[in-house]
Amino acid sequence: MSGGYLHDALARVAASDRLLVALDFDGTLAPLEDDPMSARALPEAAAAVAALAELADTPVAFVSGRSLHDLREIAEHGDDSPVYLAGSHGAEFWVPGEGQVATGGDAAADALRDVLREELTSRLADLDGVWVEPKTYGFGIHTRVASAADAATARDAADRLVAERAPHWRRRTGHNIVEYSFRHEGKDSAIAALRERLGATAVLFAGDDVTDEDALASLGDADLGIRVGDGQTAASVRVGSIQELADALSALARMRASSRQ
């Protein structure tokens, strides 16, 4: 992607009346880690987010597949943060000044989640490098440090169990993870909900994985989608790394500040 094209795309959305900057976290702002809970935003990315969040009419949100609790931990997100959160692919929200948005519970679904998660954890216990991550509405199977054979065995076991016991659950794949959830929201619905809540006239969304493509494909002509790294994408702009995205967000903050003067 040429620097000139990226500059022009950023300048276009920088001139929007009310710009929502929505960002995936893992692989977009933070490097992927063998221990997922050790992920932290690149300092330059965190600085760019902070600069954008200080600007008028420029709400910032993290939109992640992480459960809200885990997203808050890795994002070092305090109760006084100005950053909106959409966790669990848009099934959970946190609003500045209000906190977590209440959602209706489903005791039966929660119980099935716990049973399946415990059973799968037991079945996969002998596979080196495979980890079952508890999630609010399901679980994820991490295979980043597993052998290819063990990763395939883990995925197959999880697929069979969910197909047999919870065929209505949604399955997603990502970087060395497969996720299962009894909630079907996606990052596209998260962006739609945030756009409506915040009255955004344009949205910039950046992501690096298959699970971000729902959101990228949902963007309109006034918006800007950025894909970080390789892979097929609906985004109109691609950057090669987290550092390049951090640089782009910093440039956007400068443009946006100038346009608001």
Side-chain angles (χ1 to χ4, degrees), residues 89 137 139-141 151-152 154-160 162-163 166-174 177-185 210-211 214:
H89 300 280
Y137 302 113
F139 48 82
I141 311 300
R155 289 192 297 269
D156 289 346
D159 283 345
R160 288 195 302 272
V162 174
H168 56 290
W169 282 23
R170 181 168 179 176
R171 182 186 191 273
R172 296 180 178 89
T173 59
I177 185 175
V178 58
E179 301 178 46
Y180 306 87
S181 174
F182 63 80
R183 293 287 293 264
H184 285 231
E185 290 90 345
V210 175
T211 56
D214 287 345

PDB file of all heavy atoms in Angstrom, residues 89 137 139-141 151-152 154-160 162-163 166-174 177-185 210-211 214:
ATOM      1  N   HIS A  89     -16.799 -10.457  20.788  1.00  0.00           N
ATOM      2  CA  HIS A  89     -17.247 -10.199  19.418  1.00  0.00           C
ATOM      3  C   HIS A  89     -18.521  -9.338  19.379  1.00  0.00           C
ATOM      4  O   HIS A  89     -19.321  -9.466  18.446  1.00  0.00           O
ATOM      5  CB  HIS A  89     -17.481 -11.509  18.657  1.00  0.00           C
ATOM      6  CG  HIS A  89     -16.274 -12.370  18.553  1.00  0.00           C
ATOM      7  ND1 HIS A  89     -15.271 -12.153  17.624  1.00  0.00           N
ATOM      8  CD2 HIS A  89     -15.882 -13.457  19.271  1.00  0.00           C
ATOM      9  CE1 HIS A  89     -14.336 -13.066  17.765  1.00  0.00           C
ATOM     10  NE2 HIS A  89     -14.675 -13.861  18.759  1.00  0.00           N
ATOM     11  N   TYR A 137     -19.171 -16.569  26.899  1.00  0.00           N
ATOM     12  CA  TYR A 137     -20.263 -17.269  26.230  1.00  0.00           C
ATOM     13  C   TYR A 137     -19.819 -18.564  25.561  1.00  0.00           C
ATOM     14  O   TYR A 137     -20.503 -19.074  24.681  1.00  0.00           O
ATOM     15  CB  TYR A 137     -20.914 -16.342  25.210  1.00  0.00           C
ATOM     16  CG  TYR A 137     -21.436 -15.069  25.832  1.00  0.00           C
ATOM     17  CD1 TYR A 137     -20.866 -13.833  25.545  1.00  0.00           C
ATOM     18  CD2 TYR A 137     -22.493 -15.108  26.743  1.00  0.00           C
ATOM     19  CE1 TYR A 137     -21.342 -12.668  26.136  1.00  0.00           C
ATOM     20  CE2 TYR A 137     -22.968 -13.954  27.344  1.00  0.00           C
ATOM     21  CZ  TYR A 137     -22.387 -12.739  27.032  1.00  0.00           C
ATOM     22  OH  TYR A 137     -22.844 -11.586  27.635  1.00  0.00           O
ATOM     23  N   PHE A 139     -15.953 -20.972  24.797  1.00  0.00           N
ATOM     24  CA  PHE A 139     -14.546 -21.245  25.070  1.00  0.00           C
ATOM     25  C   PHE A 139     -13.763 -21.186  23.763  1.00  0.00           C
ATOM     26  O   PHE A 139     -14.327 -21.245  22.667  1.00  0.00           O
ATOM     27  CB  PHE A 139     -14.349 -22.604  25.741  1.00  0.00           C
ATOM     28  CG  PHE A 139     -15.067 -23.742  25.080  1.00  0.00           C
ATOM     29  CD1 PHE A 139     -14.539 -24.385  23.973  1.00  0.00           C
ATOM     30  CD2 PHE A 139     -16.288 -24.177  25.576  1.00  0.00           C
ATOM     31  CE1 PHE A 139     -15.206 -25.427  23.360  1.00  0.00           C
ATOM     32  CE2 PHE A 139     -16.971 -25.230  24.973  1.00  0.00           C
ATOM     33  CZ  PHE A 139     -16.430 -25.853  23.866  1.00  0.00           C
ATOM     34  N   GLY A 140     -12.441 -21.050  23.914  1.00  0.00           N
ATOM     35  CA  GLY A 140     -11.548 -21.062  22.761  1.00  0.00           C
ATOM     36  C   GLY A 140     -10.476 -22.117  22.945  1.00  0.00           C
ATOM     37  O   GLY A 140     -10.052 -22.397  24.070  1.00  0.00           O
ATOM     38  N   ILE A 141     -10.034 -22.730  21.845  1.00  0.00           N
ATOM     39  CA  ILE A 141      -8.981 -23.738  21.872  1.00  0.00           C
ATOM     40  C   ILE A 141      -7.728 -23.113  21.269  1.00  0.00           C
ATOM     41  O   ILE A 141      -7.673 -22.862  20.057  1.00  0.00           O
ATOM     42  CB  ILE A 141      -9.370 -24.999  21.077  1.00  0.00           C
ATOM     43  CG1 ILE A 141     -10.767 -25.480  21.464  1.00  0.00           C
ATOM     44  CG2 ILE A 141      -8.323 -26.090  21.282  1.00  0.00           C
ATOM     45  CD1 ILE A 141     -10.935 -25.833  22.908  1.00  0.00           C
ATOM     46  N   ALA A 151      -2.572 -29.934  17.306  1.00  0.00           N
ATOM     47  CA  ALA A 151      -3.545 -28.874  17.018  1.00  0.00           C
ATOM     48  C   ALA A 151      -4.738 -29.447  16.251  1.00  0.00           C
ATOM     49  O   ALA A 151      -5.896 -29.132  16.558  1.00  0.00           O
ATOM     50  CB  ALA A 151      -2.888 -27.754  16.217  1.00  0.00           C
ATOM     51  N   ALA A 152      -4.459 -30.292  15.272  1.00  0.00           N
ATOM     52  CA  ALA A 152      -5.544 -30.903  14.498  1.00  0.00           C
ATOM     53  C   ALA A 152      -6.393 -31.820  15.367  1.00  0.00           C
ATOM     54  O   ALA A 152      -7.629 -31.827  15.270  1.00  0.00           O
ATOM     55  CB  ALA A 152      -4.956 -31.675  13.314  1.00  0.00           C
ATOM     56  N   ALA A 154      -6.895 -31.529  18.580  1.00  0.00           N
ATOM     57  CA  ALA A 154      -7.686 -30.685  19.477  1.00  0.00           C
ATOM     58  C   ALA A 154      -8.882 -30.083  18.750  1.00  0.00           C
ATOM     59  O   ALA A 154     -10.010 -30.086  19.275  1.00  0.00           O
ATOM     60  CB  ALA A 154      -6.800 -29.588  20.056  1.00  0.00           C
ATOM     61  N   ARG A 155      -8.658 -29.581  17.551  1.00  0.00           N
ATOM     62  CA  ARG A 155      -9.760 -28.982  16.787  1.00  0.00           C
ATOM     63  C   ARG A 155     -10.824 -30.020  16.455  1.00  0.00           C
ATOM     64  O   ARG A 155     -12.025 -29.753  16.562  1.00  0.00           O
ATOM     65  CB  ARG A 155      -9.227 -28.324  15.519  1.00  0.00           C
ATOM     66  CG  ARG A 155      -8.428 -27.045  15.769  1.00  0.00           C
ATOM     67  CD  ARG A 155      -8.197 -26.303  14.461  1.00  0.00           C
ATOM     68  NE  ARG A 155      -7.402 -27.085  13.523  1.00  0.00           N
ATOM     69  CZ  ARG A 155      -6.071 -27.040  13.436  1.00  0.00           C
ATOM     70  NH1 ARG A 155      -5.394 -26.239  14.260  1.00  0.00           N
ATOM     71  NH2 ARG A 155      -5.412 -27.762  12.545  1.00  0.00           N
ATOM     72  N   ASP A 156     -10.372 -31.202  16.047  1.00  0.00           N
ATOM     73  CA  ASP A 156     -11.324 -32.259  15.695  1.00  0.00           C
ATOM     74  C   ASP A 156     -12.159 -32.671  16.907  1.00  0.00           C
ATOM     75  O   ASP A 156     -13.379 -32.881  16.801  1.00  0.00           O
ATOM     76  CB  ASP A 156     -10.584 -33.470  15.133  1.00  0.00           C
ATOM     77  CG  ASP A 156      -9.996 -33.219  13.750  1.00  0.00           C
ATOM     78  OD1 ASP A 156     -10.389 -32.210  13.124  1.00  0.00           O
ATOM     79  OD2 ASP A 156      -9.153 -34.018  13.315  1.00  0.00           O
ATOM     80  N   ALA A 157     -11.521 -32.807  18.056  1.00  0.00           N
ATOM     81  CA  ALA A 157     -12.243 -33.203  19.267  1.00  0.00           C
ATOM     82  C   ALA A 157     -13.269 -32.142  19.651  1.00  0.00           C
ATOM     83  O   ALA A 157     -14.406 -32.467  20.028  1.00  0.00           O
ATOM     84  CB  ALA A 157     -11.256 -33.426  20.409  1.00  0.00           C
ATOM     85  N   ALA A 158     -12.878 -30.873  19.560  1.00  0.00           N
ATOM     86  CA  ALA A 158     -13.801 -29.790  19.901  1.00  0.00           C
ATOM     87  C   ALA A 158     -14.955 -29.727  18.910  1.00  0.00           C
ATOM     88  O   ALA A 158     -16.117 -29.563  19.302  1.00  0.00           O
ATOM     89  CB  ALA A 158     -13.049 -28.462  19.918  1.00  0.00           C
ATOM     90  N   ASP A 159     -14.655 -29.889  17.632  1.00  0.00           N
ATOM     91  CA  ASP A 159     -15.707 -29.858  16.616  1.00  0.00           C
ATOM     92  C   ASP A 159     -16.731 -30.967  16.843  1.00  0.00           C
ATOM     93  O   ASP A 159     -17.937 -30.753  16.745  1.00  0.00           O
ATOM     94  CB  ASP A 159     -15.098 -30.000  15.218  1.00  0.00           C
ATOM     95  CG  ASP A 159     -14.455 -28.719  14.715  1.00  0.00           C
ATOM     96  OD1 ASP A 159     -14.716 -27.650  15.296  1.00  0.00           O
ATOM     97  OD2 ASP A 159     -13.689 -28.796  13.745  1.00  0.00           O
ATOM     98  N   ARG A 160     -16.243 -32.157  17.156  1.00  0.00           N
ATOM     99  CA  ARG A 160     -17.154 -33.285  17.362  1.00  0.00           C
ATOM    100  C   ARG A 160     -18.031 -33.059  18.591  1.00  0.00           C
ATOM    101  O   ARG A 160     -19.244 -33.320  18.561  1.00  0.00           O
ATOM    102  CB  ARG A 160     -16.358 -34.589  17.501  1.00  0.00           C
ATOM    103  CG  ARG A 160     -15.736 -35.083  16.207  1.00  0.00           C
ATOM    104  CD  ARG A 160     -15.299 -36.539  16.342  1.00  0.00           C
ATOM    105  NE  ARG A 160     -14.344 -36.726  17.436  1.00  0.00           N
ATOM    106  CZ  ARG A 160     -13.031 -36.608  17.309  1.00  0.00           C
ATOM    107  NH1 ARG A 160     -12.505 -36.306  16.118  1.00  0.00           N
ATOM    108  NH2 ARG A 160     -12.235 -36.808  18.339  1.00  0.00           N
ATOM    109  N   VAL A 162     -18.894 -30.201  20.108  1.00  0.00           N
ATOM    110  CA  VAL A 162     -19.864 -29.121  19.930  1.00  0.00           C
ATOM    111  C   VAL A 162     -20.941 -29.530  18.927  1.00  0.00           C
ATOM    112  O   VAL A 162     -22.124 -29.231  19.123  1.00  0.00           O
ATOM    113  CB  VAL A 162     -19.148 -27.820  19.498  1.00  0.00           C
ATOM    114  CG1 VAL A 162     -20.162 -26.738  19.163  1.00  0.00           C
ATOM    115  CG2 VAL A 162     -18.212 -27.337  20.609  1.00  0.00           C
ATOM    116  N   ALA A 163     -20.571 -30.202  17.859  1.00  0.00           N
ATOM    117  CA  ALA A 163     -21.567 -30.653  16.881  1.00  0.00           C
ATOM    118  C   ALA A 163     -22.578 -31.600  17.511  1.00  0.00           C
ATOM    119  O   ALA A 163     -23.769 -31.575  17.173  1.00  0.00           O
ATOM    120  CB  ALA A 163     -20.863 -31.340  15.709  1.00  0.00           C
ATOM    121  N   ALA A 166     -23.942 -29.151  21.098  1.00  0.00           N
ATOM    122  CA  ALA A 166     -24.371 -27.751  20.948  1.00  0.00           C
ATOM    123  C   ALA A 166     -24.268 -27.317  19.489  1.00  0.00           C
ATOM    124  O   ALA A 166     -23.535 -26.390  19.145  1.00  0.00           O
ATOM    125  CB  ALA A 166     -23.520 -26.833  21.830  1.00  0.00           C
ATOM    126  N   PRO A 167     -25.002 -27.967  18.589  1.00  0.00           N
ATOM    127  CA  PRO A 167     -24.870 -27.671  17.162  1.00  0.00           C
ATOM    128  C   PRO A 167     -25.301 -26.264  16.783  1.00  0.00           C
ATOM    129  O   PRO A 167     -24.966 -25.790  15.688  1.00  0.00           O
ATOM    130  CB  PRO A 167     -25.775 -28.724  16.507  1.00  0.00           C
ATOM    131  CG  PRO A 167     -26.756 -29.104  17.567  1.00  0.00           C
ATOM    132  CD  PRO A 167     -25.986 -29.033  18.854  1.00  0.00           C
ATOM    133  N   HIS A 168     -26.028 -25.569  17.675  1.00  0.00           N
ATOM    134  CA  HIS A 168     -26.490 -24.219  17.396  1.00  0.00           C
ATOM    135  C   HIS A 168     -25.437 -23.170  17.732  1.00  0.00           C
ATOM    136  O   HIS A 168     -25.629 -21.990  17.446  1.00  0.00           O
ATOM    137  CB  HIS A 168     -27.757 -23.931  18.212  1.00  0.00           C
ATOM    138  CG  HIS A 168     -27.583 -24.139  19.690  1.00  0.00           C
ATOM    139  ND1 HIS A 168     -27.430 -25.403  20.229  1.00  0.00           N
ATOM    140  CD2 HIS A 168     -27.527 -23.268  20.717  1.00  0.00           C
ATOM    141  CE1 HIS A 168     -27.298 -25.292  21.550  1.00  0.00           C
ATOM    142  NE2 HIS A 168     -27.345 -24.011  21.871  1.00  0.00           N
ATOM    143  N   TRP A 169     -24.338 -23.561  18.347  1.00  0.00           N
ATOM    144  CA  TRP A 169     -23.298 -22.602  18.706  1.00  0.00           C
ATOM    145  C   TRP A 169     -22.586 -22.090  17.447  1.00  0.00           C
ATOM    146  O   TRP A 169     -22.532 -22.766  16.416  1.00  0.00           O
ATOM    147  CB  TRP A 169     -22.267 -23.257  19.615  1.00  0.00           C
ATOM    148  CG  TRP A 169     -22.717 -23.381  21.048  1.00  0.00           C
ATOM    149  CD1 TRP A 169     -23.993 -23.399  21.523  1.00  0.00           C
ATOM    150  CD2 TRP A 169     -21.861 -23.536  22.177  1.00  0.00           C
ATOM    151  NE1 TRP A 169     -23.994 -23.554  22.880  1.00  0.00           N
ATOM    152  CE2 TRP A 169     -22.695 -23.641  23.312  1.00  0.00           C
ATOM    153  CE3 TRP A 169     -20.480 -23.599  22.348  1.00  0.00           C
ATOM    154  CZ2 TRP A 169     -22.181 -23.792  24.596  1.00  0.00           C
ATOM    155  CZ3 TRP A 169     -19.969 -23.759  23.622  1.00  0.00           C
ATOM    156  CH2 TRP A 169     -20.808 -23.851  24.734  1.00  0.00           C
ATOM    157  N   ARG A 170     -22.016 -20.890  17.561  1.00  0.00           N
ATOM    158  CA  ARG A 170     -21.244 -20.309  16.456  1.00  0.00           C
ATOM    159  C   ARG A 170     -19.771 -20.702  16.591  1.00  0.00           C
ATOM    160  O   ARG A 170     -19.198 -20.637  17.676  1.00  0.00           O
ATOM    161  CB  ARG A 170     -21.364 -18.779  16.444  1.00  0.00           C
ATOM    162  CG  ARG A 170     -20.588 -18.138  15.296  1.00  0.00           C
ATOM    163  CD  ARG A 170     -20.923 -16.673  15.112  1.00  0.00           C
ATOM    164  NE  ARG A 170     -20.147 -16.105  14.015  1.00  0.00           N
ATOM    165  CZ  ARG A 170     -20.276 -14.860  13.563  1.00  0.00           C
ATOM    166  NH1 ARG A 170     -21.172 -14.045  14.123  1.00  0.00           N
ATOM    167  NH2 ARG A 170     -19.543 -14.422  12.568  1.00  0.00           N
ATOM    168  N   ARG A 171     -19.174 -21.098  15.486  1.00  0.00           N
ATOM    169  CA  ARG A 171     -17.759 -21.456  15.432  1.00  0.00           C
ATOM    170  C   ARG A 171     -16.999 -20.380  14.671  1.00  0.00           C
ATOM    171  O   ARG A 171     -17.425 -19.949  13.593  1.00  0.00           O
ATOM    172  CB  ARG A 171     -17.583 -22.804  14.735  1.00  0.00           C
ATOM    173  CG  ARG A 171     -16.141 -23.314  14.652  1.00  0.00           C
ATOM    174  CD  ARG A 171     -16.100 -24.588  13.815  1.00  0.00           C
ATOM    175  NE  ARG A 171     -14.835 -25.291  13.877  1.00  0.00           N
ATOM    176  CZ  ARG A 171     -13.784 -25.041  13.090  1.00  0.00           C
ATOM    177  NH1 ARG A 171     -13.856 -24.072  12.161  1.00  0.00           N
ATOM    178  NH2 ARG A 171     -12.671 -25.749  13.199  1.00  0.00           N
ATOM    179  N   ARG A 172     -15.860 -19.963  15.227  1.00  0.00           N
ATOM    180  CA  ARG A 172     -14.991 -18.994  14.561  1.00  0.00           C
ATOM    181  C   ARG A 172     -13.556 -19.503  14.606  1.00  0.00           C
ATOM    182  O   ARG A 172     -13.155 -20.149  15.566  1.00  0.00           O
ATOM    183  CB  ARG A 172     -15.016 -17.621  15.255  1.00  0.00           C
ATOM    184  CG  ARG A 172     -16.328 -16.885  15.244  1.00  0.00           C
ATOM    185  CD  ARG A 172     -16.149 -15.552  15.969  1.00  0.00           C
ATOM    186  NE  ARG A 172     -17.344 -14.735  15.976  1.00  0.00           N
ATOM    187  CZ  ARG A 172     -18.285 -14.786  16.902  1.00  0.00           C
ATOM    188  NH1 ARG A 172     -18.171 -15.643  17.912  1.00  0.00           N
ATOM    189  NH2 ARG A 172     -19.332 -13.991  16.855  1.00  0.00           N
ATOM    190  N   THR A 173     -12.784 -19.166  13.592  1.00  0.00           N
ATOM    191  CA  THR A 173     -11.355 -19.471  13.605  1.00  0.00           C
ATOM    192  C   THR A 173     -10.564 -18.178  13.567  1.00  0.00           C
ATOM    193  O   THR A 173     -11.026 -17.159  13.045  1.00  0.00           O
ATOM    194  CB  THR A 173     -10.946 -20.341  12.407  1.00  0.00           C
ATOM    195  OG1 THR A 173     -11.283 -19.654  11.187  1.00  0.00           O
ATOM    196  CG2 THR A 173     -11.653 -21.683  12.445  1.00  0.00           C
ATOM    197  N   GLY A 174      -9.368 -18.232  14.141  1.00  0.00           N
ATOM    198  CA  GLY A 174      -8.466 -17.090  14.124  1.00  0.00           C
ATOM    199  C   GLY A 174      -7.031 -17.579  14.112  1.00  0.00           C
ATOM    200  O   GLY A 174      -6.762 -18.747  13.799  1.00  0.00           O
ATOM    201  N   ILE A 177      -6.326 -20.327  16.905  1.00  0.00           N
ATOM    202  CA  ILE A 177      -7.423 -20.503  17.847  1.00  0.00           C
ATOM    203  C   ILE A 177      -8.689 -20.856  17.089  1.00  0.00           C
ATOM    204  O   ILE A 177      -8.899 -20.405  15.958  1.00  0.00           O
ATOM    205  CB  ILE A 177      -7.655 -19.222  18.696  1.00  0.00           C
ATOM    206  CG1 ILE A 177      -8.731 -19.470  19.772  1.00  0.00           C
ATOM    207  CG2 ILE A 177      -8.019 -18.038  17.811  1.00  0.00           C
ATOM    208  CD1 ILE A 177      -8.928 -18.305  20.719  1.00  0.00           C
ATOM    209  N   VAL A 178      -9.505 -21.698  17.695  1.00  0.00           N
ATOM    210  CA  VAL A 178     -10.869 -21.915  17.221  1.00  0.00           C
ATOM    211  C   VAL A 178     -11.772 -21.647  18.414  1.00  0.00           C
ATOM    212  O   VAL A 178     -11.478 -22.065  19.536  1.00  0.00           O
ATOM    213  CB  VAL A 178     -11.060 -23.344  16.649  1.00  0.00           C
ATOM    214  CG1 VAL A 178     -10.732 -24.418  17.670  1.00  0.00           C
ATOM    215  CG2 VAL A 178     -12.468 -23.525  16.121  1.00  0.00           C
ATOM    216  N   GLU A 179     -12.851 -20.887  18.188  1.00  0.00           N
ATOM    217  CA  GLU A 179     -13.738 -20.466  19.261  1.00  0.00           C
ATOM    218  C   GLU A 179     -15.149 -20.993  19.020  1.00  0.00           C
ATOM    219  O   GLU A 179     -15.595 -21.098  17.872  1.00  0.00           O
ATOM    220  CB  GLU A 179     -13.807 -18.932  19.340  1.00  0.00           C
ATOM    221  CG  GLU A 179     -12.496 -18.241  19.578  1.00  0.00           C
ATOM    222  CD  GLU A 179     -12.670 -16.728  19.593  1.00  0.00           C
ATOM    223  OE1 GLU A 179     -13.616 -16.240  20.249  1.00  0.00           O
ATOM    224  OE2 GLU A 179     -11.868 -16.034  18.955  1.00  0.00           O
ATOM    225  N   TYR A 180     -15.841 -21.258  20.121  1.00  0.00           N
ATOM    226  CA  TYR A 180     -17.226 -21.706  20.076  1.00  0.00           C
ATOM    227  C   TYR A 180     -18.025 -20.851  21.057  1.00  0.00           C
ATOM    228  O   TYR A 180     -17.605 -20.638  22.193  1.00  0.00           O
ATOM    229  CB  TYR A 180     -17.331 -23.182  20.468  1.00  0.00           C
ATOM    230  CG  TYR A 180     -16.429 -24.084  19.664  1.00  0.00           C
ATOM    231  CD1 TYR A 180     -15.111 -24.300  20.070  1.00  0.00           C
ATOM    232  CD2 TYR A 180     -16.873 -24.704  18.505  1.00  0.00           C
ATOM    233  CE1 TYR A 180     -14.272 -25.123  19.337  1.00  0.00           C
ATOM    234  CE2 TYR A 180     -16.038 -25.527  17.768  1.00  0.00           C
ATOM    235  CZ  TYR A 180     -14.736 -25.726  18.183  1.00  0.00           C
ATOM    236  OH  TYR A 180     -13.905 -26.535  17.448  1.00  0.00           O
ATOM    237  N   SER A 181     -19.213 -20.398  20.627  1.00  0.00           N
ATOM    238  CA  SER A 181     -19.989 -19.494  21.467  1.00  0.00           C
ATOM    239  C   SER A 181     -21.477 -19.711  21.250  1.00  0.00           C
ATOM    240  O   SER A 181     -21.928 -19.928  20.122  1.00  0.00           O
ATOM    241  CB  SER A 181     -19.643 -18.039  21.131  1.00  0.00           C
ATOM    242  OG  SER A 181     -20.470 -17.139  21.829  1.00  0.00           O
ATOM    243  N   PHE A 182     -22.229 -19.606  22.354  1.00  0.00           N
ATOM    244  CA  PHE A 182     -23.681 -19.692  22.209  1.00  0.00           C
ATOM    245  C   PHE A 182     -24.302 -18.345  21.872  1.00  0.00           C
ATOM    246  O   PHE A 182     -25.501 -18.265  21.633  1.00  0.00           O
ATOM    247  CB  PHE A 182     -24.340 -20.321  23.447  1.00  0.00           C
ATOM    248  CG  PHE A 182     -24.199 -19.563  24.741  1.00  0.00           C
ATOM    249  CD1 PHE A 182     -25.012 -18.489  25.033  1.00  0.00           C
ATOM    250  CD2 PHE A 182     -23.278 -19.973  25.686  1.00  0.00           C
ATOM    251  CE1 PHE A 182     -24.900 -17.810  26.242  1.00  0.00           C
ATOM    252  CE2 PHE A 182     -23.165 -19.316  26.904  1.00  0.00           C
ATOM    253  CZ  PHE A 182     -23.978 -18.230  27.178  1.00  0.00           C
ATOM    254  N   ARG A 183     -23.488 -17.300  21.830  1.00  0.00           N
ATOM    255  CA  ARG A 183     -23.950 -16.007  21.325  1.00  0.00           C
ATOM    256  C   ARG A 183     -23.423 -15.838  19.899  1.00  0.00           C
ATOM    257  O   ARG A 183     -22.295 -16.211  19.579  1.00  0.00           O
ATOM    258  CB  ARG A 183     -23.442 -14.872  22.220  1.00  0.00           C
ATOM    259  CG  ARG A 183     -24.036 -14.876  23.616  1.00  0.00           C
ATOM    260  CD  ARG A 183     -25.479 -14.419  23.617  1.00  0.00           C
ATOM    261  NE  ARG A 183     -25.610 -13.017  23.254  1.00  0.00           N
ATOM    262  CZ  ARG A 183     -25.709 -12.018  24.145  1.00  0.00           C
ATOM    263  NH1 ARG A 183     -25.710 -12.284  25.450  1.00  0.00           N
ATOM    264  NH2 ARG A 183     -25.830 -10.769  23.744  1.00  0.00           N
ATOM    265  N   HIS A 184     -24.234 -15.250  19.031  1.00  0.00           N
ATOM    266  CA  HIS A 184     -23.890 -15.204  17.612  1.00  0.00           C
ATOM    267  C   HIS A 184     -23.500 -13.816  17.116  1.00  0.00           C
ATOM    268  O   HIS A 184     -23.293 -13.627  15.917  1.00  0.00           O
ATOM    269  CB  HIS A 184     -25.062 -15.736  16.782  1.00  0.00           C
ATOM    270  CG  HIS A 184     -25.205 -17.228  16.853  1.00  0.00           C
ATOM    271  ND1 HIS A 184     -25.305 -18.017  15.740  1.00  0.00           N
ATOM    272  CD2 HIS A 184     -25.256 -18.074  17.903  1.00  0.00           C
ATOM    273  CE1 HIS A 184     -25.418 -19.281  16.088  1.00  0.00           C
ATOM    274  NE2 HIS A 184     -25.392 -19.337  17.409  1.00  0.00           N
ATOM    275  N   GLU A 185     -23.391 -12.848  18.028  1.00  0.00           N
ATOM    276  CA  GLU A 185     -22.975 -11.515  17.587  1.00  0.00           C
ATOM    277  C   GLU A 185     -21.604 -11.567  16.922  1.00  0.00           C
ATOM    278  O   GLU A 185     -20.768 -12.420  17.238  1.00  0.00           O
ATOM    279  CB  GLU A 185     -22.906 -10.547  18.775  1.00  0.00           C
ATOM    280  CG  GLU A 185     -24.236 -10.165  19.356  1.00  0.00           C
ATOM    281  CD  GLU A 185     -24.715 -11.086  20.456  1.00  0.00           C
ATOM    282  OE1 GLU A 185     -24.155 -12.199  20.597  1.00  0.00           O
ATOM    283  OE2 GLU A 185     -25.655 -10.691  21.176  1.00  0.00           O
ATOM    284  N   VAL A 210      -9.271 -13.178  10.622  1.00  0.00           N
ATOM    285  CA  VAL A 210     -10.502 -13.576   9.951  1.00  0.00           C
ATOM    286  C   VAL A 210     -11.722 -13.026  10.681  1.00  0.00           C
ATOM    287  O   VAL A 210     -12.700 -12.601  10.051  1.00  0.00           O
ATOM    288  CB  VAL A 210     -10.583 -15.117   9.865  1.00  0.00           C
ATOM    289  CG1 VAL A 210     -11.911 -15.555   9.274  1.00  0.00           C
ATOM    290  CG2 VAL A 210      -9.422 -15.665   9.036  1.00  0.00           C
ATOM    291  N   THR A 211     -11.690 -13.024  12.000  1.00  0.00           N
ATOM    292  CA  THR A 211     -12.842 -12.569  12.780  1.00  0.00           C
ATOM    293  C   THR A 211     -13.091 -11.071  12.636  1.00  0.00           C
ATOM    294  O   THR A 211     -14.156 -10.589  13.033  1.00  0.00           O
ATOM    295  CB  THR A 211     -12.655 -12.903  14.266  1.00  0.00           C
ATOM    296  OG1 THR A 211     -11.431 -12.343  14.740  1.00  0.00           O
ATOM    297  CG2 THR A 211     -12.636 -14.408  14.480  1.00  0.00           C
ATOM    298  N   ASP A 214     -15.843  -9.565   9.278  1.00  0.00           N
ATOM    299  CA  ASP A 214     -17.253  -9.190   9.364  1.00  0.00           C
ATOM    300  C   ASP A 214     -17.385  -7.674   9.474  1.00  0.00           C
ATOM    301  O   ASP A 214     -18.218  -7.052   8.802  1.00  0.00           O
ATOM    302  CB  ASP A 214     -17.922  -9.843  10.579  1.00  0.00           C
ATOM    303  CG  ASP A 214     -18.159 -11.331  10.401  1.00  0.00           C
ATOM    304  OD1 ASP A 214     -18.064 -11.809   9.252  1.00  0.00           O
ATOM    305  OD2 ASP A 214     -18.445 -12.011  11.402  1.00  0.00           O
TER     306      ASP A 214
END
